[in-house]
Amino acid sequence: MAFAPRLLLPPRPPTPPPVSSSSARAHNGGAGGRTAPELSGPTPRVVVVTSGKGGVGKTTTTANLAASLARLNFPVVAIDADAGLRNLDLLLGLENRVHLTAADVLAGDCRLDQALIRHRSLQGLHLLCLSKPRSKLPLAFGSKTLTWVADALRRSATPPAFILIDCPAGVDAGFVTAIAPAEEAVLVTTPDITALRDADRVAGLLECDGIKDIKIIVNRVRPELVRGEDMMSALDVQEMLGLPLLGVVPEDSEVIRSTNRGVPLVLTDPPTPAGLALERATWRLVERDAMTAVMVEEQERPKKKGGFFSFSFFGG
């Protein structure tokens, strides 16, 4: 039987005053000239970023949501829940600073604050890796591993506003561990039938686990292909999955450069199309909002027989 370990926490200092939203960094995506979105719901909010299929941009999305939240003065802990193939540290430029992990905290070898890695330029962003490569998580921890970590972060001296969990691909034990503490989910998919079949399956599993607040980010959209009916639009994807849209991210060549530099897209100057889309998605995440999908130049799209809805790819 799994048991809850005694997580070592640092002494609790006096509670600092809350950060005023007026001191947040100015952002041109806000409505009515607001400089920051209005945080909805109690904190910390635990959000799992998942996809089912690998390679759709889930870790890139997690890194950029976390960086954008920190820029808006919302403290965030980004957790890489992949025990064997972590990559979130690379995208945040922190790969050389991972010395202690959640596994060390759960084993009682260090305090939780010692395993949290602060980002160099974003004071409110911390990274926590589940374990080191080529190391195995003790079986006694079970699927409640991240639940204990999330509870410890809630009880910490300065709890974050958000806990973002980068879920591993697939729906095996790593998936179960990653979604266990989550109250919300961001489902990342690309507009192709293989990714959508997996996303539909994952959405069902999330709902079975009690996670009802699920929003989708459609990644790597190419408007020119959508106009020619060679790619599904965000509206097509939304209708197929039956979930609200958090964001639509266009294909962007800057993603590769951003990944190789270890600098999230939302921090690049000048901003890129994908970076701007992810910033807007962050605002919606904070406010529990959704966007309305619009068919790209629907009136100009040629009428073809058949199409994406002429067959079912979810069955079988």
Side-chain angles (χ1 to χ4, degrees):
M1 178 180 295
F3 61 94
R6 180 177 177 270
L7 300 185
L8 300 178
L9 299 172
R12 182 183 290 270
T15 303
V19 177
S20 172
S21 62
S22 61
S23 65
R25 178 176 177 149
H27 188 284
N28 58 12
R34 289 185 291 124
T35 58
E38 297 178 3
L39 182 60
S40 173
T43 60
R45 286 170 51 186
V46 185
V47 184
V48 62
V49 183
T50 184
S51 63
K53 187 178 186 297
V56 299
K58 169 179 50 60
T59 301
T60 300
T61 299
T62 306
N64 281 276
L65 290 178
S68 191
L69 284 168
R71 282 183 58 188
L72 293 168
N73 277 4
F74 294 111
V76 56
V77 173
I79 301 178
D80 193 328
D82 198 323
L85 298 172
R86 73 167 193 246
N87 286 308
L88 190 55
D89 57 329
L90 290 170
L91 272 64
L92 293 173
L94 301 174
E95 65 275 9
N96 295 324
R97 298 175 59 191
V98 181
H99 304 297
L100 298 170
T101 67
D104 298 312
V105 178
L106 293 166
D109 296 331
C110 68
R111 298 192 309 269
L112 178 60
D113 66 312
Q114 293 174 321
L116 294 174
I117 307 165
R118 183 174 59 83
H119 194 272
R120 294 183 181 91
S121 59
L122 297 170
Q123 299 295 319
L125 171 58
H126 290 80
L127 170 69
L128 178 65
C129 294
L130 187 60
S131 64
K132 297 177 182 177
R134 295 188 297 275
S135 66
K136 295 182 178 180
L137 203 63
L139 293 177
F141 291 160
S143 62
K144 296 298 183 183
T145 300
L146 290 183
T147 301
W148 295 327
V149 171
D151 289 343
L153 288 170
R154 288 190 182 95
R155 301 195 310 269
S156 64
T158 54
F162 285 86
I163 301 172
L164 295 186
I165 302 174
D166 184 23
C167 182
V171 291
D172 54 9
F175 172 81
V176 175
T177 300
I179 70 172
E183 302 149 351
E184 307 170 45
V186 174
L187 187 55
V188 183
T189 185
T190 51
D192 61 84
I193 59 174
T194 54
L196 286 170
R197 170 182 277 180
D198 291 353
D200 185 62
R201 171 63 173 157
V202 167
L205 294 174
L206 291 171
E207 291 176 351
C208 288
D209 200 64
I211 302 175
K212 305 301 182 184
D213 189 351
I214 308 171
K215 295 183 176 67
I216 53 177
I217 287 182
V218 186
N219 195 24
R220 304 184 67 178
V221 175
R222 298 177 62 179
E224 70 278 7
L225 293 183
V226 174
R227 283 191 290 269
E229 261 192 357
D230 295 314
M231 174 179 281
M232 283 175 277
S233 69
L235 183 58
D236 294 333
V237 173
Q238 185 180 24
E239 289 176 348
M240 288 182 175
L241 296 179
L243 296 170
L245 269 175
L246 186 65
V248 179
V249 183
E251 182 78 58
D252 193 336
S253 60
E254 281 298 318
V255 172
I256 296 177
R257 297 187 184 94
S258 168
T259 300
N260 291 337
R261 293 196 306 262
V263 179
L265 282 168
V266 295
L267 301 182
T268 57
D269 191 17
T272 68
L276 289 172
L278 287 164
E279 283 192 61
R280 295 186 186 105
T282 304
W283 273 64
R284 298 184 191 104
L285 177 67
V286 171
E287 297 188 335
R288 294 182 185 267
D289 197 4
M291 67 178 293
T292 302
V294 178
M295 192 72 75
V296 176
E297 297 185 14
E298 185 177 19
Q299 67 278 10
E300 298 182 7
R301 293 175 62 171
K303 299 297 182 181
K304 296 182 180 180
K305 293 182 179 180
F308 294 118
F309 291 101
S310 61
F311 62 92
S312 171
F313 58 84
F314 288 145

